[in-house]
Structure formats: structure tokens, C-alpha cells
Amino acid sequence: MRLLSLALRDFRGVRDRIVRFPALGTTVVVGDNEVGKSSLVEAFGLVFDLPDDSKSTRIRDIQPVGQDVGPEVTVELTLGNRELSYTKRWLKNRSTELAVVEADGRRRSWTGREAHNEAERLFRQHVDPVLWQTLMVSQGQSLVLPTPADAEPLITAVTAESGTPVDGASMPLVTAVEHEYLRYWTRGGRATGDFARSEKAVATAELTAAQALKAMEEVQQDIRRAERLTLDLQDVTGRLTDHLTSVEELRERKKATDEILLRRDSVRHRAETARARLENHTRTRVERERLLDEAERFAKIDAELAERRSDAETVARTAVESVHAAEAALAEVVELKDARRTDVQEAERQVSELMDRAELDRLLGQQAELVDVRARIAAAGTVLDRIKVDDALVVALESARAEVVEARAALAAGVPEVSVRRLGAEPVELSGTGLDGGAREVPSELGFDESAEVLVSGELVVGVPGQVEVTVRAGGEAATLRSRVDEAVRREKDLLKKAGVKDVAAARELLRKADTATAELHEARRTERTLTTGGDPGERIAVLTARLGVGADDDVEAEEGGGKQPAVEGVPGQMSLFEEFASPHDTLDFEDFEVPVSAPDDLAGAQRALEEARDALAEVERLLGDAEFAAAQARKAADEDRSEAQQARARSELAGERLAAAVEALEAARDLLDDDAVSAAEAEATGEVEAVLEELAAVQEQADAAGADQIAGELTDALAVAARLQGERDTLRDALRTTEGRLEQSGRDGLATRRDLAELELAGVRAEHDSLQRRAEAARRVHETLSRHRAEAQTKYSEPLQSRIESLGRSVYGPSFRVWLDDDLAVAERELDGARLPVEALSTGAQEQLAIITRLAISHLVSTGESSVPVIFDDALGWSDKARLRDMGALLGRAGDHGQIIILTCMPDRYEYVPKATFIKLDA
Amino acid sequence: MDDSITFLHSSDWQLGMMRRFLGPDGQARWGQARLDAVARIGEVAAATGAAFVVVTGDVFEHNQVERQTILRACEALKRIPVPVVLLPGNHDALEPGSLWTSAQWQAHQPEQVTVLTGTEPLEIAPGVEIVGAPWRSRRPLSDPAAPGYADLTPAEPGTTRILLAHGQLTSLSGGMSDVPTIDQAALEAAVADGRLQYVGLGDRHSTTRVTDRIWFSGTQEVTSPEEDAPGNVLKVTVGAGEIEVEPVRVGAWHMVDHRVELFDEESLTALEDWFAELPEKERTYVRLAGDGSLALPLLSRLDAMIDAQGEVFASVERWAKFWTVRPAPDAADLDALQLSGPARAAMEELRQALAGGDEGAGAALSLMHRLARDAG
């Protein structure tokens, strides 16, 4: 399509205007606001959309305000190879006129509704609505990115470019498939509409059918139950009838046998009476026999017990004697023990005295030694007192000595040493002060050839009388050295005086002597301590002396003289009493008991005597234990024997009493009935019992023959069975009635019909559902298959459009410009200088530019075909900066090379860079 | 024939029966038709001078049919102007909860109607004795006819004795029966020795002559396409030593099986012609068995045809068990649609899937074909 001209009359604010467009190239229609630029686009739409008699508000809106005039539009355009002139006036003087000039020059025209229809048909035939909508950008829409996926000419174009076969008929099919799919499925793939309802209907019908079937099954079960109950009831009723007959028979038989039983009862009663009498007689006889037996038995027992009693008394007497003997023996042993204890005490006294005496001797020796030691201590003390030298004094002496020597040495070194020698005959006199001749005294005069060496610390005057006098004076230092020597000598002398010795060596000798004396003193003292450890021996001596008497020896003599103990006499004579207790090796040798008369000083002998006395005592104590035990045993035995004798006497007396009682009872019984009469009465009763029993046996035989005893039980059992059968019958009858009642109700409810209807219904909805399901599956299959192929194809289509957009875009943005399309072939992302962004994230200006570029690309792609349409921008590029305006202008200009581009604007300077543009100015 | 007696023999009315394939409307009309056929038996009785009517079992479909069925049956029975004797069969056995003992039946039972509940002979007319073997349970343990005649002695001279029984004959059931069958030899013997002069049987829906004197009357109105000769009542005339049995049609419906082989347009046309020639279409049920394969346009046409005939006939049904007609799309069909691009590719894919045995693809292909045709 190419738009050639648009003429408006009485259209909104436009009184009368015609605008002509070049068929090719870019046209910029410039006009201020409100002059009717947008009306041009609107008019073009209305002229094809609405017939002249339309009452649409869209028509009312275009009528100039306040004027009762008919808006009129005339459009000239090419469609295919035809040229059309189409005029329409609404509201007032309505008219429609269409003139068509075919390619071959034929001219046709229509008017009125026919004109409208033909125009509409031609428009639809040549203009793809999607493409038209895509490329006609009304005011304010310039930012909207085109989504041209379903624009057929575009598909055709890109298909041609991409080499994919032309898909001319696919769009209506796609719609139809989509429509068919949506009849059964939601876009999410869930069942919907009739199909979903049918699924629910099936479920409902299934439930209903199942319930109806179950109800009917219950009916069948009831029928079977009732059939079974009927059979069971017949069976039970039959058995009950038979049974009641046999019950009657039993009753008859019972009546007949009752008489026999009555008779048997009478005989049985008599038999019991006879048997009781017999028992009575028998009891009497047995009692008599018992009495006799008892009398005899008690007599025998009495005799036995009397004998046993006398024996026991004899034994008891003997036992008493044994006790006396044992006690006598015990007394003797006690006596013997006292004697032996006295012996022991005497022996102990002797041993003690002897030990005291020995102790006294030892103490006397010790005392003498102590006196000696103490004399040594006193001597050593005296020596030590005399010696005043001690270790410290000796050290001080030695130190003083050393100081003297040292001072002298210093003097010798520090003062002039003057050697004077007399060579001649003239005396040489020496005098002065502070002179030291060393070891020798400085002579006052020298002999011939004598010489003296003097250390001068003061003044030496050497004079040869009459001839010469030489004075040697020591310096100041010499005096000091001299005084040191003097001081040292003085101190040494003091110390020696204090020590009382001549010199150091003497002091040392004294010190050695003092050490020896000290050692001796120590040794003596230790000895003294040893001797006095057990206390002062003097005290012990006094005690012992006192204990031993005036003269120790006398006392001992006296004691020993009277210490002889009398021997134990007569003991062996008593031994006969112990013979049974003593074993042979315990036999005592009484000779050992004689105490030897030992020498007074023989301590060892005395101790031996003591040991022996103690052994003898222990032996006697053992004998005493044995004797005590024997006596206790004898007493115990005697007690037992006495008790036994008492019991025997008591029993014997009791037996005597019982015997007397038995004899008395027997006599009393015999007084009533003698022994022979008792036997006779029993025999008579026995005969009577035998006779009655014979009679009873006969009657029983009769009863057995008639089965009289069983019949009552049989009857009871039979009645119980009858009752049970009746109960069973009643139960069955009730159950049957209940079941039949239920069945009657089922019949009234028409359950079988209900079941059949439910199944019918189920089959119906199932068939419908199956059919729907098949169709739904088919629809899904077709939809899925076609969608898949379309998606694949679209992937192919997008490439040409993408490359066209990119090639246009690069002229504006440079070589790094790239875009990506989505499934609807809309631009989804843009990349520039390596930065890839979704379209929504781009700036407004960039979005608008991209939208324009995309439209130009689409236009470019379809421009070659007959389906091409003009690209119309009702104002655009409002967001682009100067630099971009230049590039976009160039682009719009180039786009005009291939198609018809129409731009409506009030800002012509935005488009001043569009080369070769035709500018049309609209005036108000 | 002098001293002869004429009566009508019918059976297997099965009132209350449902047929899934008829649909709600067809079901209603067919149900009424079965009652109408009963009424027509009354007309036949009047026309032929029949003394009475016997119905040998299965008067009702179930013992638990709905009340409406019972009451309408009673109304139909009232329109029979002669005595009617009904025999309980396997469907309406004299079991516990039986319809025959129900208050509903007994309250509305027409006066001239007798239900045979025992085996005692019933003198229906002077010199005519009816004995019957009613079913007492749905599952009898022995020959269901035997109780009716086992204890009989030969009929008095001049007495016509009719046995009413229900069940399959061993010879006809093909050994498939799961309940005991009727001993045909014993029955023939009873006829031969003069104990019975006519045996009326029920249970088989096709009118069937077993011997001259032993007949299945068949159902009064067809119930299934498998039945041979349904829709008749038997007019029986028994005379001294003679018998005449004549089927009289009372049914109005048809149930037909039809087998077709479909492979081209001609075979489709033949089917259309066959449909066109059938009479009484509104009372006819057709069950189609089909085999073959059809091009997509022909398949669409077949679907449309069956769909349309379904409206005309009481019901037309593809017999699922024997329906194997498949789409056979060829390239020419697809080319005719002038499809291209993805649509063409999608269709081609479906066509190949179908060729590979994918049944679902066939349905999809047919649908797509239709959509493309309509959209184009």
C-alpha cells in the first residue's frame, strides 16, 4: 500500500485540507499542535473501519464542535497494482464513493454500502492488520517495541530471506489449533470446559453406579440368605415335628414304669431299716469286745510299769552313792592344791632374796668406781684451771709475733743502715736514739775490728772521741716506722704476760696440755654418767641393805634356816579315788615333791626349785579340774535317775487307776447284758437284712427290664432338645421375616432399575468422556506438534529480522551494536560496546530509537512485496540528543529509498538531518 | 378343527430392561414399544379368538424393577381381553422378595391374570389344563421344567394339557448355560406318551420351533441384534391329535448388525445407500462393524455420515470390538490443503507417526486436517 493523498473536510478542527504524499521516500508533515496532524491518521483508519451510517462515538467525536456538518474524508492510495480513490461522509449527507483503477487501466466505481464493502475487502486483501498496526505509530506510541511475530508479510519476507518455504496459510490454522486446544485444555495443560466437566461427571456416575450395584448386591445376598433360611427352617421344622412325636412316646413309657419304681422304693426303705438295726447290734458287740480287751491290756501294762518303777528306784539310790564318793575325792584334791601353792610361795621368796644380794654386790663395786672417777674429774679440772692459754690467745700471740717481725722488716727497709767498723785503735762510740742493731744490741763502743750494723730511725752519733763525731739522723718516716716496731713489741709483751708464758712456743705447749686434760675430763664424766644412770647406787644400796636386814648375810642365813616346807603327807593314800580319771602316764611321782635344801647363795638352784614347785601346782590344778568334772557328772546322772524314778512311779500309779476303771466299765456292761446275749442279737439282725435284700434285688430286676431308671433322663433330654429346636426354628423364622421385609422394601425401591439406570448413565458419560478424551488428546497432539514446528521456524525467521535491525542500528551506534529477539520476534536485549542489557533497562531515548530501527527494519524487509505498508510516525525522536538525531535522520532518509515513510511532527528541526526528505507544512 | 382350542404363547417380555446403546430418548421409546407390543398381543387375541394367553417366563427384567414398570405392565395386561397366565422365569423367579409376592404387584394385578406359583394343574378353560414349572430360585439345581410334568399321568381323553416352562434346551444352549438345562428327550417323551399336548417354552428370545408341539415363542419385541426372529407371538391351536402353531408379528423395532469394509469413496457411498434403504429408521438400532482405511477427507465424511445417521436412527453405533477403520492420509490430501512451513512439517510428522502405528497420531491428523481445511 502506498498512501497518495488524504483530504479532510469538517473533520474535528480541520475545515478543509488536502495533503499529498510522495509514493516513495520520507515525508515530514510539519504542523503546530492542534492543526490536525493526528487527525490524518485517524481519518485513514475511520474511512476503512466505519460505514457512512455508523453511529459510533468515534464518528460523533470527529464532528466539529458546535457545527451540524458531516465530516468527510477522501483518501487516495494504491493497493496492489490498483489505484483507489475513496471518499466517505458521515452524519450529514452521508455518502461513500469508491473509484478503482486497475493495473490494466480498467476503471470501476461503487457507491454506498457496496463501496464500503469493496474497499474493506481490498484493504484486508492487501494489508496485513498486524503489520499495519505495527508500522503505524500513533502519538505517544513511539516507545512501544513492535512484536511482529504474527505479521504475515513479515513472516513471508523473512521466510523468503531465510530460505524457509512460504507459510502462507499457517496463521488462521494456528489460531484454529489454538482455539481447538483451549476447548479442552488450559494453557497450563489442565483439563477444562466440557472435558473437565465430563471427567467429574464420570467420577460422579461411577460413584452412583457403585452405590447402586452395592445396594443390588445386598439384595442378592438377602435373596440367597432368605433361600437358605427357608431351607433351614423347613429342615428344623421337620426335625422338630419328628422329635415331638418321640417325646410323646417317652411320656407313655414313663407312666408305665413309675409303678415299679414306687414298689422298689418301699422295699428299699425296709432294707434300710433292717440294715440300721443290724448295725446297732454289731456296734454293741464290738463295744463289748473292746471292753474285754481293754481290761486285759491295762492289767498287763500295770504289771510292767510296777516292775520298771522298782528298777528305777534302785538305780537312783546307786547314783546318790556315786555322788558322795566323787565329792569326797574332790575335797582331797583341793587340800593337796593348797599345800603345793605354799611350796611355790616359799621357793619364790628364796629366789628373790638371792637376787637382791647379787644386786647389792654389784652396786657396791659401782660405788667404788664412781669415787675413783670423781677424783679424776677433780684433777683434770685443777690442771685446766691453771692453764690460761686458749686457742684465741695463741692465735693472737702468733699474730702479734708476725706484726713485730713485719714492723722490723719495714724499719730495716725504711731507715738508714749504718755499718760502723773500727779500723783503728781509737774507740768508736756509738750513741743516739732510735737505733736498732737487729739481733744484737747496739754496742755503745766498738772494739777493734768490730763492726756494728745499725738501723737508724732516730739519731746515731758515731764518735771517735776527740777526733770525729758523726751524726746520722733518720728522716721523718723513720720515726713512724720506729714507733710501729715499738707498738708491736709492746703488744706482744702484754699478750705473753697475760698468757703467763715466755713465748709463743710455750703458749702452744700449754694449749696442747689443756686439750689432753679436757679429753680426760670428758671421758671421766661420761664414765660417771654411765655409773649413775640407774640412779645413785647409794640409794639402791640403802634399800637393799634394809631389805636384807642389819647384816645381809645374817638375814639370808635366818631365812634359809626356817624355809624348809613340810612334805605333803598321805596323798598317795587317796589315789584310789582318782584311778578312773587318770591315764597311766599322768601318774605322779610324788618323790619329786620333796624340796631340796639348797645352798643359800645358789640362785640357779633356787630358781630350779621354784620351777619344780610350780609344775607340781599345775599338775594338782589339772587333777582338781578332772575331779570337779567327775563330781558334776555324777550329780547330773543322779538327778536324771531320780527324775526317771519319779516318772516311773507316776506312770505306774496311772496304769493302776485305768485298770480299775476298765474293770469297772466291763462289770457295768455285763450287768446289763451278758456276753452271749450280745452275740445272739447280732446274728438275728443279720438274717433279717439278708431277707429284705433278696426282695429288693427281685424288684430291681423288674425295673431294669422295663428301663425305668433311664426313662426319666431320656424324657428330660428329649424335652431340652425340643426346646432347642423350637428356639432354632423361631430364630430362623424371625431372620427370614426380617430378610423378606428388607427384600419387600428393595422391591418397592426398584433397586434393580436404579442399578440399571446408574450403569446406563455411567456408560453414557463414559462414552462421552472417551470421545472427549480422544478429541482432547488429538487437540493436544496437534497443538504440541504445530507449536513445536512453529517455534523451530520462528527461530529461523528471527535471523533475517535480527540481522536487518543490526545493520540499520550499526549506522547509528557503530559496529558493536547487536540485538536478540524473543519468540514474538520482538527485540528483547541490546548489546553495545560489549554491554548486553534487556530493552526495559535502556534509556527512553535508546528504547525509542530501537523501536524506530525495528520498524524500519520490518518495513525494509517487507518493502519489496506487494504487502508493504507505509511506516507512519506520529511524532517521534522526542528523547534523542543532537548526535543521535543526526544519525537517526540519516537512517529515516535511507529508509525512504525502499518505502513510504510518513512523519508527523510539530518539531521539524528534529528531522532536519533527514536527507532527501519532503517537508509538507500544515497551516492552521 | 373341531373341539380345538386356540391360545397365544408369548414370553420374555422383560419389562424394565435397559439398553445402553439406545441413549435416553431411544430407551424411553423402546421401553414403551415393549409395552405396546404387549397391548398388541391383546389385539391379536381378540382377532384370533384366542381363549387365553400364556407367558412363559421373564415377564419382568428383575424382581426389583421400579414401581412405574409394574404399574404400566398391569395397565398393558388389562388391555388383553382374555385370561392371561404368567410363569415366573429366571429373571423374575419366585425367590424371596419376589415381585409376584410383593404388595405392589398383588395390589394391581388385573383380575384375568393368573401367576403360576405352583405345579398344580390349572383348568383355564373347560378341557384345558395348564401345568407350569415356575422358577423358585435364580439358580435351580436341576431341570427347571421337570417339576411341571414329572408326576403327571396321561391326560384324560378330551383334555388338552399345556406345560409352561422356562430355560434353555441342552441342544440350543451350546453347552454354555451355567444353570441346569431342560431335558429335551424327557420333554418329547412326555409329549409322545400323551401327558402333554403342548409345551410352551421361554428364555430364548428368537421364535424357535423345537418340535411341532414344543416351541419357544421368543420375545415380543427385539432386545438385541443377535436375535434371529424376535417380535412374534405364537398363535397355537390344539385339536384332537392335531396342532397348528403360527408366529404373528407384534414387535415394531429392529436391531441390526452390519459389517462394512471401507477403503474408498465407493464403499462409503455403498454404506450411505444401505442406510438410506433401511425402513423404520427411528425404530432401528444399527451396530456397525467396520474394517479398512480411509483417506482423511473420506474419514471426515464417514464421521459426519455416522453422526447424521445417529440422529435419524434410534441409534447407530460403531461396534468397538469390530471397528478397525483407520485414517490413511496420503501426500495428495495434504497437498490439497496448500499448507506450508511449520504447519506442513507438523502434519508430515503426524502422518509418519501414524504410518509407524501411532493410533493417537491418526486422530490428531484427522483433527488437523479438518482445522486446516476449515481455516483455509
Side-chain angles (χ1 to χ4, degrees):
Chain A
M1 180 179 78
R2 293 281 184 271
L3 192 55
L4 301 178
S5 76
L6 258 171
L8 275 57
R9 180 174 295 162
D10 295 325
F11 193 102
R12 290 190 187 271
V14 180
R15 173 75 191 85
D16 186 6
R17 167 170 298 147
I18 179 161
V19 181
R20 298 191 183 279
F21 303 98
L24 202 62
T26 307
T27 307
V28 180
V29 181
V30 182
D32 292 337
N33 291 328
E34 310 266 324
V35 298
K37 295 188 304 293
S38 299
S39 296
L40 291 172
V41 179
E42 189 182 12
F44 189 84
L46 286 176
V47 82
F48 283 100
D49 279 359
L50 299 176
D52 56 20
D53 57 352
S54 171
K55 302 282 190 296
S56 165
T57 51
R58 287 171 65 196
I59 297 301
R60 297 198 179 286
D61 288 348
I62 60 172
Q63 191 176 35
V65 181
Q67 297 179 49
D68 189 19
V69 292
E72 185 185 303
V73 175
T74 302
V75 58
E76 288 176 10
L77 69 162
T78 61
L79 279 175
N81 293 326
R82 298 176 191 83
E83 272 190 29
L84 280 75
S85 173
Y86 188 29
T87 305
K88 195 175 267 179
R89 188 162 62 236
W90 293 274
L91 299 173
K92 287 281 166 184
N93 303 322
R94 297 194 309 263
S95 70
T96 307
E97 288 167 24
L98 175 66
V100 176
V101 181
E102 297 288 342
D104 54 9
R106 271 189 305 124
R107 189 186 176 87
R108 289 190 295 163
S109 59
W110 292 264
T111 58
R113 191 65 186 215
E114 281 185 354
H116 176 84
N117 291 345
E118 180 63 11
E120 191 178 35
R121 189 186 69 77
L122 286 171
F123 188 80
R124 287 192 192 292
Q125 185 183 344
H126 291 284
V127 178
D128 180 77
V130 178
L131 189 66
W132 175 238
Q133 288 301 321
T134 305
L135 295 185
M136 192 185 72
V137 186
S138 42
Q139 218 163 10
Q141 298 291 305
S142 65
L143 287 181
V144 179
L145 274 165
T147 52
D150 291 330
E152 240 180 81
L154 174 66
I155 300 298
T156 308
V158 293
T159 302
E161 200 147 296
S162 68
T164 313
V166 174
D167 186 13
S170 64
M171 280 309 117
L173 176 59
V174 167
T175 314
V177 166
E178 182 87 1
H179 182 72
E180 183 74 7
Y181 176 77
L182 291 176
R183 273 176 67 187
Y184 305 104
W185 307 99
T186 63
R187 292 199 185 276
R190 286 195 321 278
T192 187
D194 287 344
F195 181 43
R197 276 192 290 281
S198 142
E199 260 177 24
K200 283 203 192 91
V202 168
T204 312
E206 273 172 352
L207 194 65
T208 313
Q211 284 167 348
L213 189 65
K214 186 159 173 287
M216 201 52 209
E217 272 165 10
E218 281 165 12
V219 170
Q220 308 284 16
Q221 279 169 10
D222 271 350
I223 290 170
R224 257 169 254 149
R225 187 178 300 127
E227 283 175 350
R228 205 171 54 240
L229 285 171
T230 308
L231 287 176
D232 290 354
L233 185 59
Q234 280 168 6
D235 178 43
V236 169
T237 309
R239 268 157 54 208
L240 180 61
T241 312
D242 293 351
H243 189 70
L244 287 177
T245 314
S246 67
V247 166
E248 278 315 303
E249 281 170 13
L250 274 175
R251 277 217 178 93
E252 287 300 317
R253 271 177 61 203
K254 185 166 183 296
K255 222 178 277 174
T257 53
D258 276 355
E259 189 265 330
I260 301 173
L261 291 182
L262 218 60
R263 200 142 42 81
R264 190 183 64 185
D265 284 352
S266 151
V267 174
R268 212 178 249 166
H269 185 68
R270 269 166 44 219
E272 273 163 20
T273 311
R275 201 179 279 139
R277 206 156 44 227
L278 174 58
E279 273 170 15
N280 208 13
H281 286 300
T282 306
R283 204 159 42 238
T284 308
R285 176 183 53 80
V286 169
E287 175 65 13
R288 178 62 48 85
E289 281 169 4
R290 191 185 63 77
L291 286 172
L292 285 167
D293 178 55
E294 212 168 58
E296 192 182 335
R297 197 156 48 86
F298 285 161
K300 198 171 147 205
I301 290 170
D302 186 46
E304 274 173 13
L305 286 176
E307 192 182 334
R308 207 177 290 166
R309 173 186 171 185
S310 80
D311 286 353
E313 280 169 353
T314 311
V315 168
R317 272 194 302 279
T318 315
V320 169
E321 283 163 13
S322 296
V323 168
H324 291 325
E327 281 172 351
L330 177 61
E332 281 171 11
V333 177
V334 168
E335 210 172 305
L336 183 61
K337 189 188 122 189
D338 290 346
R340 289 287 177 266
R341 185 175 290 144
T342 312
D343 289 350
V344 169
Q345 283 167 352
E346 178 56 24
E348 279 172 350
R349 196 190 54 76
Q350 273 185 16
V351 167
S352 169
E353 192 180 296
L354 283 172
M355 284 173 74
D356 284 354
R357 222 174 266 275
E359 175 73 357
L360 188 60
D361 287 349
R362 191 181 60 82
L363 287 171
L364 289 172
Q366 202 173 339
Q367 200 171 35
E369 196 180 342
L370 194 58
V371 169
D372 178 46
V373 165
R374 283 180 179 154
R376 272 163 54 208
I377 290 168
T382 310
V383 170
L384 286 173
D385 287 347
R386 272 201 300 269
I387 295 170
K388 291 184 177 64
V389 179
D390 56 9
D391 283 345
L393 196 58
V394 170
V395 171
L397 274 173
E398 279 171 349
S399 167
R401 180 73 252 170
E403 223 170 293
V404 169
V405 172
E406 193 184 336
R408 280 219 176 102
L411 185 65
V415 295
E417 188 179 17
V418 179
S419 284
V420 184
R421 190 178 179 108
R422 183 179 156 189
L423 302 171
E426 295 300 322
V428 176
E429 292 172 352
L430 296 175
S431 67
T433 56
L435 303 180
D436 189 351
R440 290 185 297 153
E441 188 71 28
V442 179
S444 55
E445 210 176 80
L446 288 176
F448 180 76
D449 204 25
E450 207 177 20
S451 64
E453 271 132 34
V454 180
L455 289 170
V456 183
S457 52
E459 199 176 57
L460 175 62
V461 180
V462 181
V464 181
Q467 288 184 4
V468 73
E469 189 180 79
V470 178
T471 305
V472 179
R473 280 189 197 101
E477 189 73 13
T480 309
L481 292 172
R482 181 77 247 174
S483 70
R484 256 187 70 192
V485 171
D486 291 347
E487 176 64 19
V489 169
R490 188 187 49 77
R491 211 156 45 218
E492 187 183 24
K493 275 183 185 153
D494 284 352
L495 284 169
L496 288 172
K497 194 176 165 192
K498 187 179 168 193
V501 289
K502 182 167 72 42
D503 54 19
V504 173
R508 280 198 194 109
E509 180 59 31
L510 271 181
L511 188 59
R512 195 186 52 77
K513 276 182 186 160
D515 284 350
T516 308
T518 306
E520 197 172 337
L521 181 62
H522 284 165
E523 195 273 332
R525 283 216 174 109
R526 203 159 45 235
T527 307
E528 185 192 16
R529 269 201 304 280
T530 307
L531 288 174
T532 55
T533 304
D536 189 350
E539 284 174 24
R540 288 280 299 149
I541 288 166
V543 171
L544 285 174
T545 310
R547 197 194 291 169
L548 289 173
V550 185
D553 286 347
D554 292 348
D555 282 353
V556 171
E557 287 289 331
E559 287 265 336
E560 284 175 355
K564 191 174 191 276
Q565 298 292 317
V568 178
E569 298 292 344
V571 170
Q574 294 166 350
M575 278 307 288
S576 62
L577 282 174
F578 298 98
E579 271 168 1
E580 55 180 313
F581 302 110
S583 53
H585 53 264
D586 281 342
T587 307
L588 290 169
D589 181 0
F590 280 88
E591 293 308 312
D592 291 347
F593 284 98
E594 282 183 40
V595 177
V597 181
S598 56
D601 294 338
D602 186 1
L603 179 58
Q607 280 173 335
R608 203 160 49 242
L610 177 58
E611 285 304 310
E612 280 164 5
R614 277 179 181 154
D615 286 350
L617 178 59
E619 183 59 36
V620 174
E621 277 171 347
R622 192 174 61 75
L623 282 176
L624 179 60
D626 290 349
E628 278 171 347
F629 178 73
Q633 287 290 332
R635 272 196 295 272
K636 193 176 163 210
D639 284 350
E640 281 171 4
D641 289 350
R642 190 177 62 240
S643 163
E644 182 72 18
Q646 278 168 354
Q647 279 179 15
R649 187 167 61 236
R651 275 204 291 272
S652 171
E653 281 166 5
L654 198 63
E657 282 167 19
R658 275 162 63 187
L659 175 60
V663 169
E664 196 180 328
L666 181 61
E667 287 311 315
R670 275 178 179 155
D671 284 352
L672 280 177
L673 197 65
D674 68 26
D675 297 353
D676 293 342
V678 169
S679 297
E682 192 187 11
E684 188 190 337
T686 304
E688 215 174 294
V689 166
E690 280 168 358
V692 175
L693 283 180
E694 207 170 309
E695 196 180 340
L696 182 61
V699 176
Q700 183 63 47
E701 213 168 296
Q702 270 184 309
D704 286 349
D709 284 327
Q710 288 77 39
I711 234 159
E714 280 173 20
L715 183 60
T716 310
D717 292 350
L719 285 173
V721 170
R724 187 173 56 73
L725 284 173
Q726 269 161 356
E728 215 172 294
R729 183 198 57 192
D730 292 349
T731 309
L732 284 170
R733 198 184 276 158
D734 288 351
L736 182 59
R737 277 188 195 138
T738 310
T739 311
E740 279 173 344
R742 211 156 47 219
L743 282 170
E744 173 83 18
Q745 184 58 44
S746 308
R748 271 201 295 281
D749 293 347
L751 289 182
T753 306
R754 269 193 217 171
R755 179 200 57 192
D756 289 354
L757 277 173
E759 284 177 347
L760 220 60
E761 168 75 13
L762 176 59
V765 296
R766 232 179 223 157
E768 192 190 340
H769 179 256
D770 287 350
S771 154
L772 278 170
Q773 173 123 35
R774 273 195 301 277
R775 281 188 265 165
E777 291 302 337
R780 179 153 70 182
R781 182 76 179 267
V782 170
H783 184 256
E784 181 271 321
T785 311
L786 183 60
S787 299
R788 187 157 35 75
H789 282 282
R790 277 194 73 219
E792 284 169 14
Q794 266 170 3
T795 309
K796 283 185 211 152
Y797 298 158
S798 73
E799 282 167 15
L801 182 60
Q802 184 185 0
S803 68
R804 191 60 56 96
I805 292 170
E806 285 175 352
S807 83
L808 291 178
R810 278 171 191 152
S811 69
V812 177
Y813 297 104
S816 69
F817 175 80
R818 292 187 67 193
V819 292
W820 282 267
L821 307 186
D822 63 15
D823 287 347
D824 290 331
L825 302 187
V827 177
E829 289 176 297
R830 187 206 72 177
E831 184 181 301
L832 201 57
D833 300 327
R836 183 167 168 171
L837 290 170
V839 165
E840 305 79 53
L842 298 177
S843 73
T844 315
Q847 283 190 35
E848 189 191 44
Q849 289 149 19
L850 204 50
I852 292 168
I853 289 168
T854 306
R855 288 195 171 84
L856 293 177
I858 293 165
S859 164
H860 202 170
L861 276 171
V862 301
S863 64
T864 49
E866 288 187 356
S867 313
S868 72
V869 296
V871 187
I872 301 174
F873 297 104
D874 189 355
D875 220 349
L877 293 178
W879 286 273
S880 297
D881 59 39
K882 208 87 177 176
R884 288 280 182 255
L885 280 178
R886 187 187 301 271
D887 294 335
M888 289 302 295
L891 204 57
L892 287 167
R894 276 204 304 283
D897 294 346
H898 306 283
Q900 191 180 29
I901 314 286
I902 298 169
I903 300 165
L904 310 174
T905 184
C906 57
M907 307 284 285
D909 49 338
R910 283 185 191 163
Y911 304 98
E912 62 188 272
Y913 303 105
V914 181
K916 294 180 284 180
T918 308
F919 279 77
I920 298 173
K921 179 112 175 81
L922 297 185
D923 296 318
Chain B
M1 272 193 277
D2 294 333
D3 295 337
S4 65
I5 181 92
T6 296
F7 63 92
L8 299 184
H9 171 203
S10 183
S11 71
D12 297 284
W13 292 357
Q14 300 199 287
L15 303 175
M17 184 186 244
M18 306 274 179
R19 277 304 186 220
R20 177 192 57 73
F21 48 75
L22 290 176
D25 168 59
Q27 171 69 38
R29 288 194 291 114
W30 179 70
Q32 185 57 48
R34 296 181 68 71
L35 285 170
D36 294 346
V38 171
R40 258 195 302 285
I41 290 171
E43 291 165 17
V44 174
T48 56
F52 56 92
V53 175
V54 295
V55 185
T56 50
D58 290 356
V59 174
F60 289 99
E61 173 73 353
H62 301 287
N63 271 323
Q64 285 78 26
V65 291
E66 63 183 339
R67 188 157 174 267
Q68 187 190 61
T69 305
I70 297 174
L71 299 192
R72 288 189 177 173
C74 288
E75 282 308 306
L77 280 166
K78 277 181 195 162
R79 290 166 65 182
I80 300 178
V82 294
V84 181
V85 179
L86 305 179
L87 179 78
N90 61 323
H91 278 257
D92 47 6
L94 265 177
E95 63 194 2
S98 165
L99 177 148
W100 305 115
T101 56
S102 74
Q104 297 194 93
W105 166 258
Q106 286 174 350
H108 298 94
Q109 180 178 1
E111 281 178 14
Q112 93 284 18
V113 173
T114 307
V115 179
L116 280 185
T117 55
T119 52
E120 304 79 29
L122 167 75
E123 189 171 7
I124 187 78
V128 181
E129 201 174 81
I130 290 179
V131 291
W135 282 48
R136 303 194 166 280
S137 161
R138 221 167 283 204
R139 299 168 305 158
L141 303 172
S142 59
D143 178 351
Y149 66 94
D151 299 333
L152 290 180
T153 52
E156 298 282 319
T159 298
T160 300
R161 198 186 267 155
I162 300 161
L163 172 68
L164 308 186
H166 188 88
Q168 290 295 323
L169 289 179
T170 319
S171 57
L172 294 174
S173 72
M176 296 296 285
S177 177
D178 53 358
V179 291
T181 51
I182 295 171
D183 184 344
Q184 186 178 339
L187 213 50
E188 285 181 21
V191 171
D193 64 18
R195 274 181 286 168
L196 300 171
Q197 276 67 50
Y198 179 75
V199 177
L201 294 177
D203 200 33
R204 187 172 165 80
H205 288 201
S206 307
T207 302
T208 307
R209 174 190 169 278
V210 181
T211 68
D212 279 349
R213 289 177 184 270
I214 305 177
W215 284 74
F216 283 97
S217 68
T219 180
Q220 90 286 13
E221 185 66 278
V222 63
T223 63
S224 159
E226 276 116 4
E227 292 159 5
D228 284 342
N232 296 314
V233 66
L234 294 180
K235 176 193 155 206
V236 183
T237 306
V238 185
E242 287 175 306
I243 186 158
E244 187 185 306
V245 181
E246 179 196 345
V248 180
R249 180 159 174 83
V250 289
W253 278 61
H254 308 276
M255 293 192 178
V256 188
D257 277 342
H258 186 57
R259 181 175 294 276
V260 287
E261 225 174 291
L262 301 169
F263 44 88
D264 59 7
E265 194 162 1
E266 274 175 42
S267 58
L268 216 54
T269 311
L271 179 59
E272 278 172 336
D273 292 347
W274 181 83
F275 272 124
E277 282 165 18
L278 281 184
E280 298 174 318
K281 294 185 176 62
E282 74 283 3
R283 294 197 301 274
T284 300
Y285 160 64
V286 177
R287 186 162 64 176
L288 280 178
D291 192 14
S293 59
L294 286 172
L296 292 173
L298 294 181
L299 202 58
S300 300
R301 195 173 127 195
L302 174 66
D303 288 343
M305 185 209 304
I306 292 176
D307 195 43
Q309 297 295 350
E311 301 293 336
V312 175
F313 282 78
S315 172
V316 176
E317 205 183 29
R318 291 179 185 83
W319 194 352
K321 202 157 58 162
F322 300 110
W323 186 263
T324 53
V325 180
R326 291 193 172 72
D330 53 28
D333 289 340
L334 302 187
D335 288 345
L337 291 171
Q338 291 192 317
L339 285 181
S340 59
R344 176 71 193 239
M347 212 146 181
E348 189 59 32
E349 181 190 309
L350 290 173
R351 196 174 71 85
Q352 282 173 7
L354 174 64
D358 183 345
E359 295 289 332
L365 193 60
S366 300
L367 172 65
M368 193 165 175
H369 189 269
R370 180 170 64 76
L371 293 174
R373 193 191 55 204
D374 295 351

